[in-house]
């Protein structure tokens, strides 16, 4: 079988198991999506605050901003470290290692199929919010949408590869997830989930620009809303962090596999 | 009563002994707790840079709300997540049988069996923030003591909401996420409820997910402007939810089919 045909066969196998898995746990997925309401909560506070205060955005712009954040978050959520940790701790990683495919591939495909299962819910929330705040409705330009989709894909790829590298720490420690928790803490405050970076003090903005966090959420959101943004810089920064994450993953993966004791198998 | 206290001592003694195996986690949780609080204070400050009073609340007053929120986060980390998160496991594996057979109240056992010390930093920092803001606003000792009443109500309300949601695992086994949803909705409790737009937002956060009573009310009482009717309503809500949680658990047990035993 040619490599391309083999690849397609694996893709089909993982995608169909993914679809089966996520359609079985529809209720669970619904709840996971509902857990992503934080941008909508922040939207309420910012809408009200910007009605009277002096902020760079007006209530309508804040509403659009947080709706875009909600969509970007739904499309870029990564949970691989919890899955991977469970596989290492219970020893069920062993059968995955016997398959003629890197386990990372399976996880990527599952994340992507999960997005499909999530989409109807995310769109329903978007529709409800637009009904509640009709002033926020607008048609984004086609070019902006294309750029935003690329930005979201780059953000997802980078978040995934970094979290996967953290997951490799699970070969040595039972609490690799606490790494992700600390990372997520910084992510929440610097990525633009709680507020657009426009309202941040300049010092914080400058510091944040040197971290990958603003490019995970704020950057694709800016692209989608068609607001001024250094497009090239955003993609370059994401690419650099992706490369760093990938290198870390390769090193830890090789060492980790040797260390892996297949507990309980 | 004495038996209850003795049980609690046993439960929590063994839990702490077990958790001490992972001492390094304590540093980690203290670190994330401080980091989270610094970030939250920063996030709150962003509103005040725009020269507004958030929902009519001054800076120190809003910090007080954030402080109570942190305290409640600490409560849920020490007691609620540790215990109620496990109900799922009990149902999935059928080990709820053993709990039901014990000569103690099953709800009491399920709710108090474990104590996780990792929420303590949140409790300490949250209280610290409340006291600091209180001193700044010149609240009296009497106000502090009075504020403990609605706070107790908040804890009971929070517990009851958690327990009711956790009980639904008896029907839907994979419901761990429900608690995640509750946690994210409770995030609204970082802000005084008047910071939300009137209408749907405020309605939801008062009556559906009652964060107004969880954090705003104790802060108002501490500032000496709590209205008696609201305090009474908050306590009534706590009591009603607690009674409902007991009734709901009993009702749910009728559908428990004891998996794999």
């Amino acid at each position: 079988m040619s490599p391309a045909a083999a690849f397609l066969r694996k893709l089909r196998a993982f995608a169909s198991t993914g679809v089966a898995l996520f359609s079985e746990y529809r209720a669970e997925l619904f709840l996971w999506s509902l857990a992503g309401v934080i941008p909508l909560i922040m939207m309420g506070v910012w809408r009200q605050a910007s009605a009277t205060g002096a902020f760079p955005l007006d209530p309508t712009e804040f509403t659009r901003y947080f709706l875009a954040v909600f969509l970007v978050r739904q499309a870029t959520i990564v949970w691989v470290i919890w899955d991977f940790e469970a596989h290492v701790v219970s020893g069920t990683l062993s059968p995955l290692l016997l398959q003629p495919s890197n386990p990372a591939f399976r996880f990527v495909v599952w994340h992507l199929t999960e997005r499909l299962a999530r989409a109807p819910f995310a769109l329903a929330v978007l529709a409800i919010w637009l009904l509640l705040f009709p002033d926020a409705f607008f048609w984004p330009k086609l070019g902006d949408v294309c750029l935003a989709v690329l930005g979201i894909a780059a953000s997802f790829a980078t978040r995934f590869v970094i979290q996967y590298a953290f997951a490799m720490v699970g070969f040595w420690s039972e609490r690799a997830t606490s790494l992700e928790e600390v990372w997520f803490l910084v992510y929440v405050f610097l990525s633009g989930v709680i507020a657009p970076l426009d309202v941040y003090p300049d010092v914080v903005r400058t510091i944040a620009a040197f971290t990958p966090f603003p490019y995970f959420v704020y950057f694709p959101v800016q692209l989608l809303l068609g607001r001024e943004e250094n497009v090239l810089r955003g993609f370059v920064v994401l690419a650099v962090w992706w490369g760093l994450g990938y290198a870390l993953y390769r090193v830890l993966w090789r060492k980790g596999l040797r260390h892996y004791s297949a507990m309980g198998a | 009563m004495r038996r209850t206290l003795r049980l609690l001592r046993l439960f929590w003694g063994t839990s702490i002994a077990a958790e001490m195996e992972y001492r390094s986690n304590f540093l980690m949780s203290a670190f994330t707790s401080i980091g989270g609080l610094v970030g939250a204070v920063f996030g709150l400050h962003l509103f005040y840079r725009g020269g507004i009073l958030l929902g009519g609340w001054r800076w120190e007053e809003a910090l007080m709300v954030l402080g109570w929120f942190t305290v409640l986060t600490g409560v849920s980390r020490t007691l609620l997540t540790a215990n109620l998160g496990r109900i799922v496991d009990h149902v999935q594996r059928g080990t709820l049988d053993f709990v039901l057979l014990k000569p103690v109240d099953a709800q009491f056992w399920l709710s108090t069996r474990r104590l996780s010390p990792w929420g303590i930093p949140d409790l300490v920092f949250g209280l610290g923030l409340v006291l600091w803001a209180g001193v700044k606003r010149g609240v009296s000792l009497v106000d502090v003591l009075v504020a403990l009443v609605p706070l107790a109500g908040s804890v009971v309300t929070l517990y009851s909401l958690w327990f009711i949601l956790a009980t639904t695992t008896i029907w839907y086994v994979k419901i761990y996420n429900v608690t995640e949803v509750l946690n994210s909705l409770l995030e609204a409790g970082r802000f005084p409820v008047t910071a939300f737009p009137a209408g749907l937002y405020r309605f939801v956060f008062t009556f559906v997910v009652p964060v107004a009573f969880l954090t705003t009310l104790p802060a108002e009482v501490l500032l000496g402007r709590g209205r008696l009717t609201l305090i009474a309503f908050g306590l009534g809500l706590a009591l009603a939810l607690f009674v409902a949680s007991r009734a709901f658990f009993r009702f749910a047990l009728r559908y428990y089919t004891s998996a794999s035993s």
Side-chain angles (χ1 to χ4, degrees), chain A residues 221-245:
Chain A
V221 165
Q222 291 286 89
L223 294 179
L224 183 63
L225 298 179
R227 296 174 64 202
E228 201 184 335
E229 184 64 28
N230 191 333
V231 180
L232 189 66
R233 186 182 71 176
F235 282 107
V236 169
V237 171
L238 282 174
V240 168
W241 282 97
W242 188 89
L244 288 176

Side-chain angles (χ1 to χ4, degrees), chain B residues 155-230:
Chain B
V155 173
V156 174
T157 303
L158 186 66
Y159 160 78
S160 308
L161 285 174
W162 262 82
F163 192 78
I164 288 172
L165 284 178
T167 302
T168 58
T169 49
I170 289 186
W171 292 280
Y172 315 101
V173 176
K174 283 204 94 178
I175 211 75
Y176 177 73
N177 301 319
V178 134
T179 53
E180 204 60 37
V181 175
L182 185 64
N183 268 341
S184 20
L185 287 171
L186 291 176
E187 287 285 310
R190 289 173 185 278
F191 308 103
V193 74
T194 45
F196 290 97
L200 187 70
Y201 271 101
R202 250 182 246 181
F203 178 81
V204 167
F205 292 137
T206 309
F207 297 107
V208 184
V209 194
V211 286
F213 293 103
L214 291 181
T215 56
T216 311
L217 185 65
E220 273 178 336
V221 172
L222 191 56
L223 290 164
R225 56 182 192 219
R227 273 167 295 165
L228 211 57
T229 45
L230 267 186

Side-chain angles (χ1 to χ4, degrees), chain B residues 218-261:
Chain B
E220 273 178 336
V221 172
L222 191 56
L223 290 164
R225 56 182 192 219
R227 273 167 295 165
L228 211 57
T229 45
L230 267 186
I231 301 177
F233 191 86
L235 289 178
L237 181 77
L239 192 68
L241 278 172
F242 183 72
V243 171
S245 80
R246 285 199 70 83
F248 188 61
F249 183 62
R250 270 157 199 258
F251 172 73
L253 279 185
R254 282 201 258 149
Y255 293 86
Y256 175 61
T257 50
S258 171
S260 71
S261 64

Side-chain angles (χ1 to χ4, degrees), chain A residues 28 32 40 48 53 175 199, chain B residues 25 49-50 52 177 194 201:
Chain A
E28 195 192 6
W32 270 131
L40 304 178
Q48 159 117 339
R175 310 244 168 167
V199 302
Chain B
N25 268 15
R49 292 184 74 232
I52 55 155
N177 301 319
T194 45
Y201 271 101

Side-chain angles (χ1 to χ4, degrees), chain A residues 25 28 31-32 34-35 37-38 40-49 52-55 129 132-133 174-175 178-179 182 185 189 194-195 199-201 204, chain B residues 22 25 28 31-32 35-36 39-40 42-43 46-47 49-50 52 54-55 174-175 177-178 180-181 184-185 187-188 191 194-198 200-202 205:
Chain A
Y25 293 114
E28 195 192 6
L31 291 171
W32 270 131
L34 210 58
V37 295
I38 290 175
L40 304 178
I41 292 175
M42 297 307 299
M43 179 205 292
V45 188
W46 277 110
R47 231 184 116 84
Q48 159 117 339
T52 51
F55 294 104
W129 249 258
L132 288 174
F133 305 106
E174 277 180 35
R175 310 244 168 167
S178 40
L179 263 179
V182 173
L185 198 69
F189 293 112
I194 56 160
V199 302
Y200 281 43
V204 182
Chain B
Y22 302 97
N25 268 15
M28 196 68 166
F31 176 74
T32 44
F42 169 73
L46 290 178
F47 293 99
R49 292 184 74 232
I52 55 155
L54 189 63
K174 283 204 94 178
I175 211 75
N177 301 319
V178 134
E180 204 60 37
V181 175
S184 20
L185 287 171
E187 287 285 310
F191 308 103
T194 45
F196 290 97
L200 187 70
Y201 271 101
R202 250 182 246 181
F205 292 137

